[in-house]
Amino acid sequence: SLPHAGVLLAVPLLARHGLVEAFTKVYGSCLAPAFYGLRTMAVVLFLTALLRIKRPEHLKEKSPWDLGAIVGLDRMPEVKTVQRKFTVLAAMERAKQLMDELASQRIARDEDRVAFLYADGHVREYHGKSPLFSAKKPQRQVATPAVTDTWVHDARGEPLLVVTSAVNAHLTQILEVVL
């Protein structure tokens, strides 16, 4: 009777993936021990991504009690709380360190898997405040500010990391940065 309960099937993936441990290692105790601490916010980030909730403001469209039950709390944190906690994390500018830590964990599990790497670039619309080049997406008929996400996968096709950069004409331009 719990809406969105299917996302709970991904909880073993969360445990195996090491996301919470990586957050703890990179960000330490930057969020004071509280009801919505660092581990809770990492789980919120993971599960909202799976639920395709793209921005904290979209939490208003869902029942906080239903989402809270999925996260393992009596209710999901409010939009203001999520924004405040994510602002603290973003201000530390450790996203690259987090990506490096996650990639290191994945590589350490099976070093033979990274003998072959697959790189794949995707243009994504950008909604931030930095001035970026515009790109035309096939789905839309207008050019909008965009970034390129370059995904790097191991030999099995499982993702290792993603590098976000300004739009570039060729994948070869970003490979040196990725390596």
Side-chain angles (χ1 to χ4, degrees):
S1 67
L2 181 64
H4 312 295
V7 78
L8 292 174
L9 294 171
V11 171
L13 174 66
L14 176 64
R16 181 176 156 251
H17 184 329
L19 182 70
V20 174
E21 292 79 12
F23 261 89
T24 304
K25 185 174 180 179
V26 171
Y27 289 101
S29 59
C30 67
L31 299 180
F35 192 68
Y36 300 119
L38 181 65
R39 291 175 9 161
T40 302
M41 295 313 296
V43 172
V44 165
L45 181 65
F46 177 77
L47 294 177
T48 53
L50 290 176
L51 290 169
R52 297 184 180 181
I53 299 173
K54 296 181 180 180
R55 295 186 182 90
E57 296 81 21
H58 294 163
L59 289 171
K60 293 178 184 178
E61 301 166 5
K62 310 280 184 187
S63 166
W65 295 278
D66 290 345
L67 290 179
I70 289 172
V71 174
L73 302 170
D74 59 341
R75 62 179 285 136
M76 184 68 123
E78 292 183 13
V79 173
K80 294 185 300 188
T81 302
V82 173
Q83 288 174 330
R84 188 175 66 248
K85 300 282 184 170
F86 286 166
T87 300
V88 169
L89 295 176
M92 296 178 74
E93 297 182 358
R94 294 186 186 166
K96 182 182 180 314
Q97 291 172 335
L98 180 64
M99 294 281 293
D100 290 345
E101 177 61 29
L102 288 170
S104 297
Q105 285 181 7
R106 289 179 181 173
I107 291 169
R109 282 192 206 114
D110 187 1
E111 293 181 11
D112 295 334
R113 289 182 0 180
V114 295
F116 296 95
L117 296 176
Y118 299 101
D120 188 16
H122 298 275
V123 175
R124 174 175 51 91
E125 284 189 58
Y126 175 73
H127 300 284
K129 296 178 181 170
S130 298
L132 292 176
F133 293 108
S134 293
K136 188 172 180 181
K137 295 269 300 181
Q139 298 88 350
R140 301 190 54 191
Q141 297 301 316
V142 295
T144 59
V147 293
T148 299
D149 290 333
T150 304
W151 289 83
V152 178
H153 304 270
D154 65 12
R156 295 181 191 163
E158 295 179 15
L160 286 175
L161 61 106
V162 62
V163 176
T164 301
S165 61
V167 173
N168 50 47
H170 302 286
L171 183 59
T172 55
Q173 292 176 340
I174 194 68
L175 286 181
E176 186 176 334
V177 175
V178 169
L179 292 175

